[in-house]
């Protein structure tokens, strides 16, 4: 039995969603990743040091995702007091996943409007991140990642809506952790590997297949609680 109470398929799906959203992650966080590298004096840019800084940054970022997932799922425990409310949360989660799919496939960018929800909080957090620059030590990188994890992001908000529907803090944290791990390859890849990964993720066929898969998963998630599924 999974100790988190969340079985493998949803965790695997969250990981894949993070992987497929890698192109968006590069656009949102690629600049800070580059800044982490170039802020280190040339004489100190050993592979081990740079790897430690990048891993530390992403550790902090994913930790923030997990904290947000636990908080939102905790809120879900207060909201989902009736079967009707829980159904409404599941519908919201499915809709957000579909919006994520439309964004990944580049069919509709409406998900970007959702990012405006977090801009007010970000105006207070961004100065904290700037004070940590330049980053030359791993603890600094972890702290910066923890701040940057709250950067307004429609893909993250889609996953948080899913955490809200789960309505269990530990499960919400696990879900967001799996999503965060899925974003790692795109942000850690460098050189030829980054170009190859970026080309694959941005290919229209890859995006379309990914979008259809996410939409199918969202509909499957939605189908379970619907009355129509009772007879199947």
């Amino acid at each position: 039995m999974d100790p988190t109470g969340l079985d493998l398929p949803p965790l695997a799906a969250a990981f894949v969603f993070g992987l497929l959203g890698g192109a968006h992650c590069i656009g949102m966080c690629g600049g800070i990743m580059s800044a982490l590298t170039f802020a280190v004096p040339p004489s100190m840019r050993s592979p081990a040091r740079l790897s430690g800084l990048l891993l530390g940054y992403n550790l902090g970022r994913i930790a923030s995702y997990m904290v947000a997932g636990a908080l939102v799922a905790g809120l879900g425990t207060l909201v989902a007091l009736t079967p009707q409310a829980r159904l409404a949360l599941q519908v919201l989660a499915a809709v957000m996943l579909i919006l994520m799919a439309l964004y990944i496939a580049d069919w509709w960018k409406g998900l970007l409007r959702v990012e405006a929800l977090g801009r007010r909080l970000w105006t207070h957090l961004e100065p904290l991140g700037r004070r940590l620059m330049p980053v030359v030590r791993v603890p600094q990188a972890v702290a910066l990642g923890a701040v940057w994890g709250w950067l307004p992001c429609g893909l993250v908000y889609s996953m948080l809506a899913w955490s809200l529907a789960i309505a269990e803090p530990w499960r919400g944290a696990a879900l967001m952790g799996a999503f965060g791990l899925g974003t790692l390859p795109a942000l850690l890849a460098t050189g030829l590997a980054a170009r190859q990964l970026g080309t694959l993720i941005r290919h229209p066929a890859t995006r379309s297949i990914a979008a259809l898969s996410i939409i199918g998963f969202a509909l499957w998630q939605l189908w379970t609680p619907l009355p129509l599924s009772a007879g199947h």
Side-chain angles (χ1 to χ4, degrees), residues 48-232:
R49 177 181 290 274
L50 293 179
S51 297
L53 293 178
L54 294 178
L55 287 174
Y57 167 79
N58 284 285
L59 175 63
R61 180 176 61 86
I62 294 173
S64 287
Y65 291 171
M66 295 180 70
V67 170
L71 291 175
V72 170
L75 177 61
T77 63
L78 301 177
V79 176
L81 298 178
T82 66
Q84 293 81 6
R86 191 168 184 87
L87 176 59
L89 291 180
Q90 289 181 284
V91 171
L92 172 64
V95 169
M96 291 297 291
L97 289 177
I98 291 173
L99 292 180
M100 177 198 290
L102 296 177
Y103 174 85
I104 288 176
D106 202 20
W107 292 337
W108 188 59
K109 297 291 188 179
L111 188 60
L112 294 176
R113 300 175 186 173
V114 180
E115 294 178 0
L117 298 175
R119 288 175 185 165
R120 183 180 296 273
L121 173 63
W122 181 242
T123 58
H124 297 288
L125 292 177
E126 184 180 15
L128 298 178
R130 294 187 182 279
R131 292 174 189 170
L132 294 168
M133 300 291 286
V135 175
V136 294
R137 298 191 304 274
V138 172
Q140 281 181 284
V142 174
L144 181 63
V147 173
W148 224 258
W150 300 92
L151 180 72
C153 175
L155 296 184
V156 172
Y157 293 164
S158 296
M159 296 306 300
L160 286 177
W162 193 2
S163 298
L164 180 67
I166 288 175
E168 293 181 23
W170 284 110
R171 298 177 73 197
L175 190 77
M176 294 304 297
F179 170 77
L181 289 175
T183 66
L184 275 179
L187 290 178
L188 292 179
T190 58
L192 180 60
R195 290 194 295 271
Q196 291 176 335
L197 181 61
T199 299
L200 177 62
I201 292 176
R202 289 191 295 269
H203 195 283
T206 303
R207 286 175 171 266
S208 297
I209 292 173
L212 292 174
S213 299
I214 293 174
I215 291 173
F217 181 83
L219 294 177
W220 176 76
Q221 289 284 96
L222 187 60
W223 181 259
T224 302
L226 289 179
L228 290 177
S229 67
H232 295 277

